[in-house]
């Protein structure tokens, strides 16, 4: 509970307030220095490798090559699907957590947080065990005589989507929950009192009020999806090419770090643009 | 591994004996080995990890005992760093591993001292391993056809043409997510003779790849994947590195190797240009030419040295699983590293595009 509240608060902080005062800046300094020297500078150096070698050709190639445009588009599509499914599945969960009686709420949080605290690798391997040719589902269906040859479920785009939604859904649920919690229930009663049917209450009152949470959850899920690596690499079996998988290939297999750096820069740029668009969509909403 | 322990003990005893025989002449002999003052340490740069351990047990300890020079192991193997060192005229390494496809690059860019054939005796090596004047063939590995003995208990595919034959040998398959080797396999499957492979007919190879693509359920990316996929029953056939398959076969996993038409490659060492102790680096390489020491290395890690006599010294269980073993090496095809150095980048881009079109 407290963890989720803290998380929700940090979301509000990240997306909400501007201009922290000087004392807050001082408090943040160690983290900023840590991130600057151990994250920002090394990452920037990597992305600027081609420039250090006096060429911009890798960037041009990353932005114009047929392959890279296809892969970026593919990544974009997968990220969009993951975001959509996180919304469709996560929104009702967040609502349930808001309205459920305390015991059920506790159980609900437990179900969301335990996977959230479990390593991505473990959760992804679990899907390998469940979906594999000799996995739980295939073995069950085979022994029940429902199918004769194992179904090919792993190593496909649906498998990747399933794994990613599973990992990323909590990032959608928490911000939505934190917004839902603060909705004034009198507004709902008022709408009902004015004779609106349930669907109308939901579409005209409740959903718009939760929209800020939905947008910030969607932003998080979308951005995390764009750079996702482990799940597509393991569940995609090399048949689902997302940009991070391509970057890894250029680093480890092809040893072309310049180009890997250029691709990373493109990924960052695309992600920032997506973030900017979401920010812009949320503009004017003063609630958070 | 009792056999292996015994070999090790014998070998240590052997080198100790050699040292005792050398001892009476004392430092004078050692000083004549290389001109100039003998250093107390030299640096050997390589891949690190399990390989560093194997290198140490097989070669490095013996070098230290023979010459009384301590070897500092550094890692990882990195030709980009080698280049920076040579260009800055500040070379730390006396001897260095040259990873995979970078070997020719290192040679072309003039980053290497020539191998001193008066010191490094490669006469027992096959001709393919003696071609270069600049790098030393440390070991060989083959990308071979691994198969599940559960799926194919009696008859298994014995060529790439049969790997392509999904009617006779049904089931999902895995190949590496890289055009290297796969294009060769495709051409072999299409009836090209091994000696006519290079220069590769890339168009023809990709056309043949179209046929098999729907049956490749996993394009593997890391070395341990193929054996694991076979073990899990996720695929029934997979290309993979011989040492990785052997590791699991040894543990009794239901899989085996078909050596025919596997692609064999060398992994190399060299002496950096302008290395401070280049002469000692050459002597380090000489220690690595010894077939018995190479056998120790093979026992440790599953990859053999190239001395043709080396397979005689490995245990009976391991011998048939070395790519250099008689009966295997004749059936393997040498990868033309030069062709791949030349055409690698463009073919790899085409490979990725091709894969996207089959997604």
């Amino acid at each position: 509970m407290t963890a989720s509240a803290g998380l929700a608060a940090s979301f509000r902080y990240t997306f909400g307030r501007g201009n922290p005062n000087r004392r807050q800046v001082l408090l943040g300094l160690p983290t900023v220095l840590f991130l600057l020297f151990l994250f920002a500078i090394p990452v920037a150096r990597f992305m600027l490798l081609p420039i250090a070698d006096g060429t911009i050709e890798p960037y041009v190639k990353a932005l114009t090559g047929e392959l890279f445009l296809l892969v970026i588009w593919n990544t974009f599509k997968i990220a969009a699907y993951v975001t959509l499914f996180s919304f469709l599945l996560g929104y009702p969960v967040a609502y349930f957590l808001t309205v459920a009686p305390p015991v059920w709420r506790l159980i609900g949080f437990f179900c969301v947080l335990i996977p959230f605290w479990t390593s991505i690798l473990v959760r992804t391997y679990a899907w390998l065990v469940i979906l594999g040719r000799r996995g739980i589902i295939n073995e069950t269906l085979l022994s029940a005589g429902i199918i004769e040859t194992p179904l090919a479920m792993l190593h496909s785009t649906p498998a990747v989507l399933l794994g990613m939604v599973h990992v990323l859904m909590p990032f959608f649920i928490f911000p939505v929950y934190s917004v839902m919690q603060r909705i004034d229930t009198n507004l709902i009663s008022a709408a009902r009192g004015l004779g609106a049917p349930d669907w109308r209450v939901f579409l005209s009152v409740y959903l718009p009020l939760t929209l800020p949470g939905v947008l910030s959850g969607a932003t998080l899920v979308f951005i995390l999806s764009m750079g996702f690596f482990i799940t597509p690499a393991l569940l995609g079996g090399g048949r689902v090419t997302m940009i991070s998988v391509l970057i890894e290939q250029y680093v480890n297999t092809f040893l072309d770090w310049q180009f890997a750096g250029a691709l990373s820069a493109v990924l960052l740029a695309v992600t920032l643009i997506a973030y900017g668009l979401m920010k812009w969509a949320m503009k004017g909403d003063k609630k958070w | 591994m009792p056999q292996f322990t015994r070999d090790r003990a014998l070998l240590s005893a052997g080198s100790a004996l050699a040292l005792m025989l050398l001892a009476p002449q004392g430092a004078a002999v050692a000083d004549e080995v290389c001109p100039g003052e003998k250093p107390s340490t030299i640096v050997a740069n390589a891949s690190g990890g399990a390989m560093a351990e194997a290198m140490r047990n097989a070669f490095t300890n013996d070098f230290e005992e023979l010459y009384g020079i301590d070897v500092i192991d550094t890692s990882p193997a990195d030709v980009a760093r080698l280049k920076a060192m040579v260009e800055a005229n500040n070379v730390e390494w006396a001897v260095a591993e040259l990873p995979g496809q970078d070997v020719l690059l290192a040679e072309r860019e003039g980053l290497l001292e020539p191998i001193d054939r008066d010191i490094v005796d490669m006469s027992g090596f096959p001709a393919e391993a003696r071609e270069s004047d600049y790098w030393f063939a440390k070991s060989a590995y083959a990308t071979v056809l691994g198969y599940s003995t559960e799926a194919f208990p009696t008859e298994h595919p014995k060529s790439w043409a049969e790997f392509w034959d999904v009617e006779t040998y049904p089931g999902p398959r895995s190949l590496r997510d890289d055009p290297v080797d796969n294009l060769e396999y495709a051409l072999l499957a299409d009836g090209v003779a091994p000696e006519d492979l290079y220069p590769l007919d890339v168009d023809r190879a990709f056309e043949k790849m179209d046929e098999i693509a729907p049956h490749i359920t996993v394009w593997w990316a890391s070395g341990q994947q193929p054996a694991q996929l076979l073990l899990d029953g996720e695929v029934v056939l997979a290309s993979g590195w011989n040492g990785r398959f052997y590791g699991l076969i040894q543990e009794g996993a239901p899989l085996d190797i078909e050596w025919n038409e596997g692609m064999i490659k060398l992994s190399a060492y060299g002496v950096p240009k302008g290395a401070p102790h280049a002469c000692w680096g050459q002597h380090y390489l000489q220690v690595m030419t010894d077939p018995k020491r190479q056998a120790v290395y093979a026992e440790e890690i599953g990859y053999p040295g190239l001395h043709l006599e080396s397979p005689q010294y490995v245990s009976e269980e391991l011998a048939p699983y070395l790519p250099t073993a008689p009966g295997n090496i004749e059936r393997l095809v040498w990868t033309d590293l030069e062709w791949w150095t030349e055409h690698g980048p463009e073919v790899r881009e085409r490979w990725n595009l091709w894969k996207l079109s089959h997604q």
Side-chain angles (χ1 to χ4, degrees), chain B residues 116-134:
Chain B
D116 186 342
R117 303 280 174 144
D118 293 336
I119 300 175
V120 187
D121 173 17
M122 288 197 271
S123 53
F125 286 36
E128 287 87 349
R130 279 185 275 131
E131 273 168 12
S132 170
D133 292 328
Y134 288 91

Side-chain angles (χ1 to χ4, degrees), chain B residues 33-296:
Chain B
V33 172
C34 281
E37 204 176 326
K38 191 169 89 171
S40 59
T41 60
I42 61 167
V43 178
N45 188 68
S47 303
M51 216 200 83
E53 190 71 26
M55 285 297 294
R56 188 145 271 286
N57 291 333
F59 310 115
T60 311
N61 288 342
D62 284 352
F63 175 86
E64 290 181 342
E65 278 184 51
L66 276 172
Y67 299 110
I69 297 172
D70 287 337
V71 177
I72 300 170
D73 298 315
T74 57
S75 64
D78 183 348
V79 167
R81 239 188 109 200
L82 173 65
K83 188 176 169 184
M85 282 185 182
V86 172
E87 280 173 0
N89 212 0
N90 179 23
V91 179
E92 286 170 34
W93 307 332
V95 62
E97 185 187 341
L98 308 166
Q101 278 113 2
D102 293 345
V103 173
L104 291 179
L105 193 78
E107 182 178 336
R108 268 183 211 172
E109 303 230 345
L111 307 178
L112 301 171
E113 294 278 347
I115 302 295
D116 186 342
R117 303 280 174 144
D118 293 336
I119 300 175
V120 187
D121 173 17
M122 288 197 271
S123 53
F125 286 36
E128 287 87 349
R130 279 185 275 131
E131 273 168 12
S132 170
D133 292 328
Y134 288 91
W135 45 271
F136 171 79
K138 179 202 82 178
S139 170
Y141 69 99
T143 317
V144 290
L145 169 49
Y147 62 94
S148 156
T149 50
E150 277 176 357
F152 305 110
T154 49
E155 283 293 306
H156 66 267
K158 293 186 180 65
S159 66
W160 293 105
E162 292 182 355
F163 181 95
W164 253 251
D165 180 358
V166 292
E167 307 267 294
T168 318
Y169 304 100
R173 292 138 156 80
S174 180
L175 289 172
R176 190 179 177 202
D177 191 358
D178 192 321
V180 178
D181 299 333
N182 288 336
L183 297 193
E184 282 92 335
Y185 296 156
L187 291 171
L188 289 168
D190 209 24
V192 177
E195 58 272 20
D196 301 330
L197 270 181
Y198 298 100
L200 295 181
D201 183 341
V202 178
D203 292 334
R204 182 172 171 186
F206 273 106
E207 246 168 64
K208 190 70 180 173
M209 288 301 298
D210 285 337
E211 285 176 28
I212 200 69
H215 307 281
I216 305 295
T217 52
V218 185
W219 296 100
W220 60 269
S222 64
Q224 84 285 359
Q225 264 180 301
Q228 191 64 44
L229 289 164
L230 288 171
L231 187 62
D232 293 344
E234 207 54 59
V235 301
V236 296
L237 297 171
S239 68
W241 297 326
N242 65 284
R244 302 301 187 124
F245 285 137
Y246 176 67
L248 281 179
I249 291 170
Q250 218 180 3
E251 287 168 23
L255 51 106
D256 214 336
I257 292 174
E258 172 55 53
W259 291 91
N260 194 38
E261 297 183 339
M263 298 300 299
I264 183 169
K265 291 175 200 62
L266 297 172
S267 52
Y269 262 62
V271 176
K273 184 125 201 145
H277 307 297
C279 170
W280 292 107
Q282 305 274 5
H283 280 280
Y284 185 89
L285 296 182
Q286 169 57 17
V287 169
M288 287 167 64
T289 60
D290 180 58
K292 286 184 188 155
R293 294 193 184 105
Q294 291 184 352
V296 175

Side-chain angles (χ1 to χ4, degrees), chain A residues 61 66-68 70-71 74 128 132-134 154-155 157 236-241 246 249-250 253-255, chain B residues 101-102 150 172 176-178 214 216-219 229 231-234 236 348-349 352-353 355-356 359:
Chain A
K61 202 172 125 196
E66 187 191 357
L67 169 65
F68 312 106
L70 274 170
V71 171
N74 205 21
L128 290 178
R133 254 168 64 89
R134 287 191 194 159
L154 267 187
H155 311 305
T157 305
R239 309 207 310 166
V240 180
T241 312
L246 200 66
Q249 196 184 23
Y250 274 88
T253 314
F254 302 165
L255 297 172
Chain B
Q101 278 113 2
D102 293 345
E150 277 176 357
R176 190 179 177 202
D177 191 358
D178 192 321
I216 305 295
T217 52
V218 185
W219 296 100
L229 289 164
L231 187 62
D232 293 344
E234 207 54 59
V236 296
R348 286 190 157 123
E349 205 173 315
N352 274 325
L353 262 176
K355 248 181 42 187
L356 277 178
Q359 205 157 288

